[in-house]
Amino acid sequence: MISSYKSSKTPLLLTSLLSMATFLSACQTSPFSREPVPEPRYIPTIVLGEAQTLTIMPNRVACASALPMQCLLAKSNKDGSVFQIPYDWVDDFKPSLGTEYVISARPQIDQAKQSPTGYWTLQNIVSQRMVTMP
């Protein structure tokens, strides 16, 4: 009785192992398949926009971004709006804390997307004055 039980169990085990091996080999990739080709890297063409006069406030604030960083508060003399510029996103401009600046700067624009990148290029410093901090 025991010998007939063993003999009927062995083909079932062998069949299940063979079917599992067949199933797993179906998941393997063919050695003749093509390698994936990465998409080309996007390199923007940067152009400078129209020069704007900005007033840079004397204090720094925490940026409203995912990364912790300091921002400059800038006021546009064009429409009076106040916005944030990350601290080092104005090329050739190193502001001092406690000094208010009026600068002429040009926004950097991605030519293909026709949208500003957020970076600026300093044209010149129009004026600067020390402000006492409270």
Side-chain angles (χ1 to χ4, degrees):
M1 174 102 169
I2 295 176
S3 65
S4 72
Y5 176 72
K6 269 189 170 178
S7 66
S8 67
K9 193 173 183 183
T10 304
L12 181 63
L13 181 62
L14 184 59
T15 306
S16 64
L17 284 175
L18 283 174
S19 60
M20 190 181 314
T22 304
F23 176 72
L24 288 175
S25 68
C27 296
Q28 302 299 315
T29 59
S30 166
F32 303 108
S33 67
R34 294 185 306 162
E35 289 293 318
V37 177
E39 290 186 30
R41 184 175 176 193
Y42 176 72
I43 300 174
T45 302
I46 302 297
V47 295
L48 296 178
E50 183 180 325
Q52 297 179 29
T53 303
L54 304 174
T55 301
I56 305 297
M57 306 298 173
N59 53 339
R60 310 290 180 264
V61 295
C63 288
S65 69
L67 299 173
M69 64 171 66
Q70 293 289 305
C71 278
L72 303 170
L73 280 178
K75 180 179 178 183
S76 171
N77 290 2
K78 186 178 181 179
D79 60 5
S81 63
V82 176
F83 57 96
Q84 294 180 352
I85 301 174
Y87 185 74
D88 58 352
W89 284 22
V90 180
D91 291 345
D92 303 323
F93 182 57
K94 301 293 180 216
S96 296
L97 191 61
T99 304
E100 180 181 276
Y101 296 89
V102 176
I103 64 171
S104 176
R106 297 175 68 180
Q108 295 180 11
I109 298 171
D110 182 347
Q111 189 175 24
K113 295 181 180 179
Q114 288 298 310
S115 63
T117 62
Y119 288 88
W120 296 76
T121 299
L122 179 70
Q123 292 298 113
N124 62 346
I125 298 175
V126 177
S127 68
Q128 63 185 26
R129 68 182 180 97
M130 296 292 291
V131 178
T132 57
M133 303 295 285

